[in-house]
Amino acid sequence: DIVEDLDVLHKLLHENFKEMSTWDVYLAEVHSGSLEWGFLHTEKFFKENAKHFEGPNSDFIVVKLLVALTTSNDEDVQAIACYDIGEFVRHYPNGRSIARSLGAKDIVMKLVDHQNKELQRHALTAVSKMMVQNWASVH
């Protein structure tokens, strides 16, 4: 009986298995509001996935969610949201004006004076990316 049950379970899992792309994992993390440092919050990820930020309806919902997460009660989530906004600005064509139009610059600017030094650093870097025309030339 148990062998049959395991076979049925294996068959159902195999039929319903969907491999998530890194973008799917990122999207789920942003929607959950629980951002954690890792491979999703890297320059490489943003280079490879910048176009996905438009969203299926071209409404930039993920960027809107990131802007909202900068007001989280969790300072790590705020820092990661700042980092992600900065990377979006850097890698998405016209990302600067999109982020500004969504209010990112003003909200992130308020975090530049935060008492948490790590959050302060990520906020300052994000604001810098929003203000610099050609980030690549800064390095």
Side-chain angles (χ1 to χ4, degrees):
D1 279 343
I2 200 161
V3 173
E4 287 179 25
D5 290 343
L6 287 174
D7 285 341
V8 168
L9 181 60
H10 182 267
K11 183 179 178 186
L12 285 171
L13 285 173
H14 186 66
E15 289 172 357
N16 295 305
F17 177 78
K18 178 187 177 234
E19 190 170 319
M20 292 179 72
S21 69
T22 55
W23 176 253
D24 293 331
V25 174
Y26 180 79
L27 197 56
E29 184 176 297
V30 171
H31 278 284
S32 78
S34 298
L35 306 181
E36 293 183 20
W37 289 113
F39 71 95
L40 297 174
H41 308 283
T42 61
E43 179 180 11
K44 180 180 187 285
F45 174 81
F46 280 84
K47 279 182 179 178
E48 294 171 356
N49 292 284
K51 286 293 187 184
H52 290 292
F53 281 84
E54 291 174 4
N57 301 318
S58 298
D59 59 359
F60 294 93
I61 186 66
V62 176
V63 181
K64 291 175 184 176
L65 291 170
L66 289 171
V67 171
L69 288 173
T70 62
T71 64
S72 169
N73 292 327
D74 184 327
E75 292 173 357
D76 286 337
V77 170
Q78 288 178 290
I80 296 167
C82 287
Y83 175 84
D84 287 3
I85 290 168
E87 289 300 282
F88 164 75
V89 165
R90 212 172 124 205
H91 296 289
Y92 186 85
N94 208 25
R96 287 175 59 233
S97 64
I98 292 164
R100 282 182 178 179
S101 72
L102 297 175
K105 182 181 168 201
D106 295 333
I107 292 171
V108 174
M109 186 74 90
K110 293 176 187 172
L111 298 173
V112 170
D113 290 327
H114 199 279
Q115 64 193 26
N116 179 316
K117 296 296 180 191
E118 186 73 8
L119 174 52
Q120 191 180 83
R121 181 174 66 85
H122 287 292
L124 183 59
T125 303
V127 169
S128 299
K129 290 174 183 176
M130 286 185 246
M131 296 175 81
V132 173
Q133 291 278 346
N134 185 355
W135 185 255
S137 69
V138 173
H139 296 286

